[in-house]
Amino acid sequence: MNAPASSTRTLDLYDKLREDLLSGRLKPGQKLQMRFLMEAYQAGQTPLREALNRLTAEGLVEAREQRGFLVAPVSRSELRELTMTRCWLEALALRKAMEAATPAWEEELVVAHHRLSRTPRSLNPEQFEDNPDWERLHRIFHRTLISQCGSAPLIGFCDQLADRLYRYRRLSIRHAFPSRKVADEHQAIVTAVLDRDVERAVELLMRHYQQTADVILEDPSL
């Protein structure tokens, strides 16, 4: 049975709004005026409210009493909390994945890493220009790292944290791009996993996430 047209429309709006929130096209703290959204997304008020309520539950939008909706602000304290929580959860997930390691999972990880390593981070080698293919493959790589943990809810929580931290990561990319060797960090993580060195793999993954946060926390211009 096909989904009702209203449900499909709400889902489409949710996807578009979510992408604009994560990419930064809708700025942190920006008031989401219903009239503006109706024009920008060519949508009615009811499906827009339904989509915004769903995004509010995910922490990407805030609902203020008598003031409507606004894009969730960013803050140093939230960045620290999200990074810390992601490190806790993904440390557990990676440990469990490595305990349950199979040749098929290791092969999947090697393939995911190979595809990511063959894709340029920036479309322009001289100055940063975001490469959507790299972003997609980067997400697949990190998800594959923990995919063998045996807990779909844990993977889901990690996905939600990755989404919320993506907004922050975009703040750091242009500043970190010239000097940070992200490809080397990924290679070191994969090597530790394949060597079955659990403590080393977890340490490298946590350091990988913390370095992203530190670029933002240490730069006063951000």
Side-chain angles (χ1 to χ4, degrees):
M1 182 180 295
N2 293 330
S6 59
S7 298
T8 302
R9 182 60 175 146
T10 298
L11 184 58
D12 287 344
L13 278 170
Y14 162 80
D15 287 339
K16 290 175 182 175
L17 281 164
R18 190 170 182 275
E19 172 59 28
D20 288 347
L21 288 163
L22 293 176
S23 69
R25 281 189 285 271
L26 293 173
K27 305 296 184 185
Q30 178 180 339
K31 185 171 176 57
L32 297 172
Q33 296 178 325
M34 199 57 64
R35 183 177 299 175
F36 160 76
L37 294 177
M38 290 170 69
E39 291 180 3
Y41 295 91
Q42 293 295 292
Q45 193 170 109
T46 298
L48 272 170
R49 285 192 178 278
E50 291 174 355
L52 289 169
N53 283 329
R54 182 172 173 181
L55 291 162
T56 298
E58 294 181 13
L60 295 174
V61 169
E62 289 186 3
R64 300 285 179 89
E65 190 173 353
Q66 306 299 325
R67 292 177 57 193
F69 297 94
L70 75 156
V71 179
V74 295
S75 70
R76 291 173 179 269
S77 60
E78 184 188 56
L79 172 58
R80 292 189 184 97
E81 289 180 2
L82 290 174
T83 302
M84 178 177 63
T85 306
R86 188 181 192 188
C87 286
W88 288 342
L89 293 182
E90 292 209 19
L92 172 61
L94 183 55
R95 288 181 189 278
K96 293 298 183 182
M98 291 182 68
E99 286 175 10
T102 64
W105 172 65
E106 291 181 348
E107 181 179 349
E108 185 181 358
L109 179 60
V110 169
V111 170
H113 175 251
H114 176 73
R115 289 173 177 165
L116 177 61
S117 66
R118 293 290 298 272
T119 304
R121 178 66 190 90
S122 172
L123 294 174
N124 184 337
E126 302 300 326
Q127 60 183 28
F128 181 76
E129 185 179 337
D130 201 14
N131 184 351
D133 285 340
W134 189 94
E135 288 290 352
R136 178 179 58 82
L137 293 169
H138 183 244
R139 187 61 174 267
I140 290 171
F141 168 72
H142 276 284
R143 202 174 197 278
T144 303
L145 266 176
I146 62 172
S147 63
Q148 189 68 9
C149 72
S151 172
L154 178 55
I155 293 171
F157 292 142
C158 292
D159 280 344
Q160 290 178 28
L161 288 166
D163 282 342
R164 293 180 66 177
L165 279 162
Y166 178 70
R167 295 199 306 155
Y168 287 93
R169 192 162 64 78
R170 291 190 66 84
L171 294 175
S172 74
I173 291 171
R174 293 180 187 278
H175 293 254
F177 174 70
S179 58
R180 187 175 176 188
K181 306 300 182 184
V182 176
D184 292 345
E185 295 173 28
H186 291 151
Q187 179 62 68
I189 293 168
V190 171
T191 298
V193 170
L194 296 179
D195 287 345
R196 305 294 177 90
D197 189 339
V198 175
E199 297 306 320
R200 176 71 173 159
V202 169
E203 177 192 355
L204 289 169
L205 183 61
M206 301 307 96
R207 189 187 305 168
H208 180 63
Y209 291 146
Q210 190 59 54
Q211 281 184 267
T212 300
D214 289 344
V215 170
I216 303 169
L217 294 170
E218 294 171 2
D219 190 333
S221 70
L222 295 175

